[in-house]
């Protein structure tokens, strides 16, 4: 097995290789003045199971092209198997044609990935109506989770005796409720209505007393931060004053991390996407998932 760090996977790939005691190499990526990409493997991939570690954030579309170019090149160079280890995988949220003429992006991504790779592993993918990755991809897929790492972080850093874990919308139970069960504390799930990419309404259907509680809001991702900010506004009305926020994927679009700080949120994320709040290392989750590949 050869672990390859693509341009947005290097912060994890070297550690993954170390944990597995497997060789590591970086994918050399250059951009031409017109925006075209040039990629090159620096180690011989022939006969190997090649694991491409690539997280899809920031220049997402370049990241996609780079991973596809790398997969086809590895195949061409004689790799035995090509696996995409994606700490954060994009384009999963548009899983239906809500308005006529729209692209169902998840289906297009699935076709591209199925044709280029033999397997795909994703950490905490954002699955709405699709319950599992095997309903999306035809190739071998594994849904990985950082929930145990988040629970460990909470146990080490927060007072769990007097804590309440809150999830901002029904889907967040997969993180908020699951982590609450591991650390053995109460949880509550709020209701969210999304009005646009930047506007959400978050409500709590029952009244609870949060005075003196250590509230930890957990969600899979933070993009504009508005979901968390609205959740905090609601929970403040119930007496909560201090908020710890944990997300798996810290996208932090449009200066979201600063906005969250102003809203009295202390934010921590995993390092699926490198950012200033990333304090939970997920390389062990990726390494573990590759052991039987
Ligand atoms: C959506 O359902 C996700 O779980 C997140 O709650 C959402 O993507 C966060 O987006 P934003 O930070 O822009 O509110």
């Amino acid at each position: 097995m050869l672990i390859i760090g693509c341009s947005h996977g290097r912060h994890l790939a070297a550690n993954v290789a170390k944990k597995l005691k497997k060789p590591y190499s970086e994918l050399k990526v250059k951009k031409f003045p017109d925006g075209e990409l040039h990629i090159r493997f620096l180690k011989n991939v022939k006969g190997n199971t090649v694991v491409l570690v690539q997280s899809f954030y920031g220049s997402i579309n370049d990241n996609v092209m780079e991973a596809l170019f790398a997969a086809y090149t590895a195949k061409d160079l004689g790799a035995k198997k090509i696996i995409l280890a994606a700490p954060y995988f994009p384009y999963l949220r548009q899983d239906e044609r809500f308005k006529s003429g729209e692209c169902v992006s998840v289906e297009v991504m699935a076709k591209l990935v199925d044709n280029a790779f033999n397997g795909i592993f994703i950490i905490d993918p954002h699955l709405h109506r699709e319950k599992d990755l095997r309903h999306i991809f035809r190739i071998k897929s594994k849904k990985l989770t950082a929930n145990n790492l988040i629970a460990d972080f909470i146990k080490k850093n927060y007072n769990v005796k007097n804590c309440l874990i809150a999830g901002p919308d029904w889907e967040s139970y997969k993180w908020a409720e699951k982590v609450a069960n591991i650390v053995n504390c109460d949880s509550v799930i709020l209701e969210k209505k999304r009005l646009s990419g930047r506007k959400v309404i978050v409500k709590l259907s029952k009244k609870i007393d949060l005075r003196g509680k250590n509230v930890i809001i957990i969600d899979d991702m933070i993009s504009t931060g508005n979901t968390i900010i609205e959740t905090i506004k609601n929970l403040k009305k119930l007496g909560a004053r201090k908020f710890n926020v944990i997300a798996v994927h810290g996208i932090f679009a449009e200066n979201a991390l600063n906005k969250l700080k102003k809203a009295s949120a202390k934010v921590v994320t995993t390092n699926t996407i490198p950012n200033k709040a990333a304090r939970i290392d997920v390389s062990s989750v990726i390494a573990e998932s590759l052991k039987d590949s």
Side-chain angles (χ1 to χ4, degrees):
M1 179 179 283
L2 178 59
I3 312 291
I4 304 283
C6 295
S7 64
H8 279 188
R10 288 175 194 148
H11 64 292
L12 286 163
N15 258 343
V16 170
K18 209 166 159 191
K19 287 192 160 70
L20 290 169
K21 298 190 174 68
K22 299 287 180 196
Y24 168 72
S25 176
E26 275 186 8
L27 184 75
K28 200 164 177 207
V29 185
K30 276 197 309 196
K31 205 168 191 178
F32 290 106
D34 60 359
E36 287 186 2
L37 294 177
H38 174 273
I39 66 121
R40 187 177 162 216
F41 285 94
L42 300 176
K43 273 200 177 136
N44 187 4
V45 300
K46 195 169 181 178
N48 277 304
T49 291
V50 172
V51 179
L52 297 172
V53 183
Q54 175 77 314
S55 202
F56 299 84
Y57 60 88
S59 43
I60 298 172
N61 302 321
D62 277 352
N63 305 160
V64 171
M65 284 307 282
E66 180 190 319
L68 292 172
F69 280 10
Y72 279 105
T73 308
K75 207 183 277 182
D76 196 33
L77 295 171
K80 191 170 77 184
K81 228 200 258 180
I82 303 143
I83 293 171
L84 175 60
Y88 175 67
F89 190 80
Y91 287 119
L92 292 174
R93 283 175 280 184
Q94 178 98 33
D95 60 357
E96 246 184 51
R97 181 163 292 126
F98 301 103
K99 292 183 192 146
S100 63
E102 276 182 349
C103 165
V104 184
S105 52
V106 67
E107 288 177 6
V108 179
M109 288 302 285
K111 281 184 191 144
L112 294 171
V113 167
D114 280 340
N115 286 324
F117 295 91
N118 303 100
I120 179 165
F121 303 168
I122 306 177
I123 299 184
D124 289 305
H126 190 88
L127 301 175
H128 275 281
R129 287 147 280 264
E130 299 294 356
K131 285 198 176 54
D132 221 319
L133 290 179
R134 68 197 149 86
H135 300 132
I136 298 176
F137 301 102
R138 278 187 289 110
I139 54 168
K140 179 180 173 184
S141 58
K142 277 192 200 171
K143 184 171 80 171
L144 314 176
T145 182
N147 276 349
N148 285 328
L149 298 176
I150 292 173
D152 286 347
F153 182 89
I154 290 175
K155 283 187 211 157
K156 274 188 208 137
N157 294 285
Y158 305 142
N159 173 14
V160 288
K161 273 195 191 135
N162 190 30
C163 101
L164 178 90
I165 292 186
D169 53 35
W170 75 268
E171 289 164 320
S172 65
Y173 83 91
K174 289 175 258 181
W175 298 278
E177 222 171 80
K178 296 264 163 79
V179 172
N181 288 341
I182 307 172
V183 299
N184 199 19
C185 80
D186 292 338
S187 64
V188 67
I189 303 293
L190 290 89
E191 287 164 23
K192 178 171 89 180
K193 194 170 171 203
R194 182 166 282 289
L195 304 178
S196 72
R198 290 186 181 79
K199 207 161 173 42
V200 290
I201 298 175
V202 180
K203 285 193 314 197
L204 188 63
S205 52
K206 54 182 176 182
K207 261 200 158 181
I208 44 173
D209 186 2
L210 293 182
R211 280 174 299 177
K213 281 269 181 203
N214 171 25
V215 177
I216 306 171
I217 303 171
I218 303 185
D219 204 359
D220 61 336
M221 63 172 87
I222 300 175
S223 180
T224 63
N226 291 330
T227 297
I228 300 294
I229 290 169
E230 289 303 308
T231 305
I232 289 177
K233 276 187 196 160
N234 259 275
L235 300 180
K236 268 188 177 166
K237 287 183 204 154
L238 302 167
R241 289 291 167 261
K242 282 186 186 161
F243 299 93
N244 288 297
V245 176
I246 305 183
V248 182
H249 310 296
I251 300 170
F252 299 127
E254 303 173 346
N255 210 15
L257 194 52
N258 280 338
K259 280 196 277 175
L260 285 160
K261 269 187 201 152
K262 281 188 193 145
S264 58
K266 282 193 180 153
V267 184
V268 167
T269 71
T270 77
N271 61 352
T272 57
I273 297 173
N275 70 76
K276 281 186 192 152
R279 287 178 60 195
I280 303 172
D281 177 27
V282 294
S283 55
S284 59
V285 171
I286 301 172
E288 199 54 41
S289 73
L290 290 166
K291 277 189 177 155
D292 59 352
S293 294

